[in-house]
Amino acid sequence: MKSVQQEVDERSNLTGTNKFELLLFRLGGDEHGERSELFGINVFKIREIVAMPEITAVAGSMPHVLGVVNLRGQIIQVLDLPAIAGVKPKTGLNIMLVTEFARTTQAFAVESVEEIVRLDWNQVMSAERTAASGMVTSIARLPAENGEPERLAQVLDVETILRDMNPDATPQITQQTVGAKIHIKPGSVILAADDSVVARALIEEGLNAMGLPFVMTKSGKEAWDQLNSIANTAEAEGKSVHDKVALVLTDLEMPEMDGFTLTRNIKKTARFGGMSVVIHSSLSGTTNEEHVRNVQADAYVAKFSAEDLATTLRRLLRQ
């Protein structure tokens, strides 16, 4: 039997293998509680899983906010995730998932928790070409077991859910927020990667406010392919890739290839020697920031502070 420390070490080492762990849970089904689909969230976002405690309703709360709980002295808002997803739990709201996201803590009420599965990011495909709502960022293919067919799990886009629940909290990006325009070599761009629609919109708004031209991609693999394509073009023109890409800005959680793998690939490839990589992620906490250092990223910026991002980019671009 593995010790707790062994499990912690194994989980931490996943960041070096393009693998991650997905907590699977169910929210409910249609109005009769049937067809309960699987949903998932990255284990790195989960602080703890507890049986549903007593919730205190808060007067004037937004729809789908159940109220708050006192968890060991910390007051945490609880969101009704089945209601947000438009489904009905058959057995009730039995479990509370306490999450850490972008250095904030919140809880989601769910019907049941299934298991934790270990997956490679290439088993996760973007949901943007499916009929999925904005709250689902990707679809994970779960391997068949015990003669059962392959299953699918919908990976939730926590950024979109929290933005929709509290639109007034969306950061306002202005020239005053980001400071003076940042100038880079003419003809070069910032190569950015993020699988969340909401995050991409905020990044684009921020980079535009900073006066930085950019190329936006939706996954680590797309960014890696784009970077190599740009490098090939540059070499054909007798130039360096650094003449065309000033810096890479990447999320961590992305289908096909995560930001850890993208960063590691860039740092170990000779043609990209000296290329700065900034990891821009909602996976906060000292453990995840240590992983960032281990893959030799040049900086880590927690989502989403346009001011912090501008300060970091200005420092790396020596403005």
Side-chain angles (χ1 to χ4, degrees):
M1 186 172 182
K2 294 177 182 175
S3 69
V4 172
Q5 187 58 51
Q6 283 177 312
E7 292 189 356
V8 170
D9 290 344
E10 283 188 8
R11 186 161 293 155
S12 297
N13 290 336
L14 291 179
T15 58
T17 61
N18 201 42
K19 294 182 183 294
F20 74 113
E21 288 187 329
L22 192 68
L23 174 70
L24 301 177
F25 55 90
R26 295 188 188 273
L27 301 178
D30 56 24
E31 65 271 19
H32 306 294
E34 302 300 327
R35 281 196 59 82
S36 182
E37 306 292 353
L38 271 177
F39 291 85
I41 188 170
N42 193 326
V43 169
F44 274 136
K45 279 196 172 104
I46 302 292
R47 195 178 83 183
E48 56 187 306
I49 303 168
V50 298
M52 186 60 67
E54 182 177 348
I55 298 175
T56 300
V58 177
S61 293
M62 296 283 290
H64 308 324
V65 175
L66 295 173
V68 297
V69 297
N70 183 349
L71 192 62
R72 293 184 297 281
Q74 183 179 12
I75 304 302
I76 300 174
Q77 184 182 64
V78 184
L79 304 179
D80 185 343
L81 199 49
I84 294 169
V87 298
K88 182 182 178 68
K90 189 173 184 178
T91 62
L93 299 173
N94 305 309
I95 302 293
M96 187 174 77
L97 307 180
V98 182
T99 66
E100 288 187 338
F101 171 85
R103 295 177 176 167
T104 65
T105 302
Q106 53 281 311
F108 294 99
V110 304
E111 181 175 36
S112 63
V113 169
E114 296 281 307
E115 59 182 313
I116 292 174
V117 294
R118 187 166 293 183
L119 302 173
D120 192 291
W121 276 109
N122 64 22
Q123 294 173 257
V124 182
M125 300 294 109
S126 172
E128 289 194 15
R129 296 186 185 89
T130 72
S133 69
M135 67 178 286
V136 175
T137 187
S138 52
I139 307 293
R141 302 193 310 270
L142 309 180
E145 293 181 350
N146 303 320
E148 295 292 326
E150 182 181 78
R151 297 174 296 162
L152 299 177
Q154 302 173 63
V155 182
L156 293 180
D157 184 346
V158 183
E159 289 156 322
T160 295
I161 293 171
L162 294 180
R163 189 281 312 267
D164 290 348
M165 294 301 299
N166 190 11
D168 292 338
T170 300
Q172 298 299 308
I173 301 170
T174 64
Q175 197 66 58
Q176 186 176 7
T177 303
V178 301
K181 300 278 188 179
I182 301 175
H183 301 285
I184 57 177
K185 184 181 295 187
S188 66
V189 298
I190 303 297
L191 179 61
D194 202 298
D195 68 325
S196 166
V197 174
V198 170
R200 286 201 302 273
L202 288 171
I203 292 167
E204 290 178 3
E205 188 177 354
L207 293 177
N208 280 326
M210 297 171 207
L212 289 169
F214 60 86
V215 172
M216 180 63 71
T217 61
K218 300 175 183 178
S219 74
K221 184 177 185 303
E222 185 181 345
W224 176 243
D225 291 344
Q226 183 72 254
L227 184 59
N228 277 282
S229 176
I230 292 172
N232 291 338
T233 300
E235 289 166 7
E237 296 174 357
K239 297 179 179 178
S240 162
V241 65
H242 298 281
D243 294 320
K244 292 182 176 289
V245 178
L247 178 145
V248 175
L249 177 67
T250 179
D251 186 22
L252 288 180
E253 298 179 280
M254 294 182 290
E256 300 184 279
M257 179 189 291
D258 67 9
F260 289 120
T261 302
L262 173 62
T263 302
R264 196 166 47 251
N265 286 350
I266 292 170
K267 292 299 184 178
K268 73 180 184 182
T269 303
R271 75 195 308 197
F272 303 127
M275 178 73 67
S276 293
V277 179
V278 175
I279 288 180
H280 184 233
S281 174
S282 60
L283 289 178
S284 54
T286 55
T287 299
N288 288 306
E289 292 178 25
E290 178 63 28
H291 296 327
V292 168
R293 286 188 287 274
N294 289 341
V295 295
Q296 299 180 321
D298 296 273
Y300 168 87
V301 180
K303 290 180 180 175
F304 183 83
S305 167
E307 183 177 6
D308 289 349
L309 183 58
T311 298
T312 299
L313 296 184
R314 185 170 283 108
R315 173 175 61 82
L316 291 174
L317 295 169
R318 293 175 171 80
Q319 294 284 315

